[in-house]
Amino acid sequence: MQTINDTIQTSLFRHLRVSVVISEMVNHKVNQFKNKFTAITGQIKEKFDQVDQVFSLQNSGSLVAKFQRGDKQPLLKSADFQTVYSLANISKNKTNGYFDPFDGGRYTPSDLIKSWAVDQVFNQYLRPLVELPVAGIMLEADGVIQTAVATSSAFHWPVLVHDSFKGEGLLEKYQLTGGGIVTVNAKTSKRPQSPIKQLTIISERVSEATIWAIAGLNAGTAKFLRLINQKHLSGILIDRALGVIEFESGKLAQKQVF
C-alpha cells in the first residue's frame, strides 16, 4: 500500500494533516491522483478559512462576535451559523446540560465549531474518494481525528491514545475502520477541577465525539458513567482516583473493578 500525506496551514487549526492510503494503482494514475488530492486539500484549506471568518472568537467582525454583542442577524443571514447554533442547543439538551456552549450566558461554541467544520469538509471532499483503490482516508486536526475505510478493504487506521499526564504512556491502540475519535484533557480544556483528567470518545462523527468528551469533563466520573451506559458511548477515561476506565457501547471493560 502507498500513503499520500499533505499538511495544511489554516487559520482555524494549528495543525491539520490529511492521509490517503492507496492499495493498488499504476504509477501514472498515482500521479494523476496526487494532482487531484492536491486540488482537494486546497479546497479544504479554503473552506476552513471561510469557517474561521464566520465563527472566529478573536475577530470582532465575525458573526459569532456580532451575536455575542446582541445582534440576531447572523441567525437570519447565515445557514452555517443557524446549523451550528441549532446543533449547540440540541447538544446541550441531550447531554443534560453538561455540554454548554452558552456557559455563563455567553455563546462561545469554539469546541463545537472545529469538530463541526471537520465533519463538513470530510463528508464533502474526502469521503467520496473512499472506494478502491483508495483504501482509507484520515483527517487529523489538532488531535481531532476522522477516518473512513472502503467497505471492500481490510485496511484499518491504527490510532494511539496516550496518557498526557504520565509522559505519553500508551493507554490504548484503536483500529478504526471509520468514524471519529476525540481526546480532551481537563487542563487544556480549562476544566482543571474535573475528576476526569483525560477523556477519549469514539463516535461516527467528530462533532458527536467532541460534544460527549466535553460533557464528560463537566459531568465528572460518577455522573458520566451513568451517561456512558444510557447513551451507549465508547472510549477511555482517566479518573484522578480510580485510574483508567475503558468503555465500549455503554459497557465498562470487564477488567475494570470498582
Side-chain angles (χ1 to χ4, degrees):
M1 290 189 179
Q2 179 176 352
T3 302
I4 301 172
N5 298 300
D6 197 2
T7 300
I8 309 170
Q9 297 294 324
T10 77
S11 53
L12 189 64
F13 295 101
R14 296 186 303 274
H15 176 79
L16 193 152
R17 182 181 180 88
V18 182
S19 301
V20 177
V21 171
I22 299 173
S23 57
E24 296 177 5
M25 190 177 282
V26 296
N27 288 335
H28 73 278
K29 288 189 176 181
V30 169
N31 291 331
Q32 291 175 4
F33 181 81
K34 285 182 178 179
N35 292 335
K36 180 179 181 180
F37 181 61
T38 298
I40 288 174
T41 54
Q43 292 174 314
I44 289 173
K45 180 184 185 308
E46 183 178 347
K47 177 63 176 179
F48 280 138
D49 287 342
Q50 290 172 356
V51 170
D52 185 66
Q53 290 175 8
V54 173
F55 293 102
S56 174
L57 298 177
Q58 288 71 45
N59 180 0
S60 61
S62 73
L63 296 186
V64 168
K66 291 179 179 179
F67 188 80
Q68 289 177 336
R69 294 194 297 267
D71 185 351
K72 303 302 182 184
Q73 289 302 305
L75 283 173
L76 304 176
K77 293 184 176 180
S78 171
D80 283 349
F81 192 94
Q82 293 172 16
T83 298
V84 174
Y85 188 80
S86 176
L87 180 58
N89 279 289
I90 292 170
S91 301
K92 181 178 180 179
N93 290 333
K94 77 178 179 181
T95 61
N96 297 341
Y98 291 118
F99 177 84
D100 187 4
F102 308 93
D103 190 22
R106 185 177 174 85
Y107 182 52
T108 53
S110 54
D111 294 320
L112 182 58
I113 288 167
K114 287 188 174 184
S115 57
W116 171 82
V118 168
D119 284 341
Q120 298 302 300
V121 301
F122 197 87
N123 290 331
Q124 182 175 353
Y125 298 111
L126 297 176
R127 196 179 297 278
L129 299 178
V130 184
E131 57 181 33
L132 293 179
V134 176
I137 292 181
M138 179 171 70
L139 189 156
E140 181 178 4
D142 293 349
V144 174
I145 298 173
Q146 181 70 46
T147 67
V149 173
T151 55
S152 54
S153 172
F155 178 75
H156 56 262
W157 288 104
V159 177
L160 305 181
V161 177
H162 294 92
D163 183 347
S164 58
F165 290 84
K166 290 187 176 181
E168 299 296 313
L170 181 64
L171 289 178
E172 187 60 84
K173 181 178 180 180
Y174 290 107
Q175 308 290 345
L176 299 186
T177 57
I181 182 168
V182 172
T183 298
V184 297
N185 70 59
K187 185 176 181 180
T188 59
S189 297
K190 299 180 180 179
R191 293 163 177 85
Q193 304 307 315
S194 175
I196 298 177
K197 296 197 302 182
Q198 180 175 303
L199 176 56
T200 297
I201 297 290
I202 302 170
S203 188
E204 182 178 348
R205 301 181 305 279
V206 292
S207 56
E208 185 80 1
T210 296
I211 288 162
W212 284 112
I214 299 300
L217 290 186
N218 288 334
T221 306
K223 294 176 181 177
F224 191 58
L225 289 180
R226 290 195 290 271
L227 286 171
I228 287 171
N229 178 259
Q230 293 169 7
K231 306 298 182 178
H232 307 290
L233 302 177
S234 297
I236 185 169
L237 67 82
I238 306 175
D239 177 85
R240 296 182 189 278
L242 300 173
V244 178
I245 303 173
E246 297 182 79
F247 48 98
E248 183 175 356
S249 300
K251 303 295 183 182
L252 302 183
Q254 291 183 353
K255 66 179 180 180
Q256 300 297 335
V257 179
F258 302 98

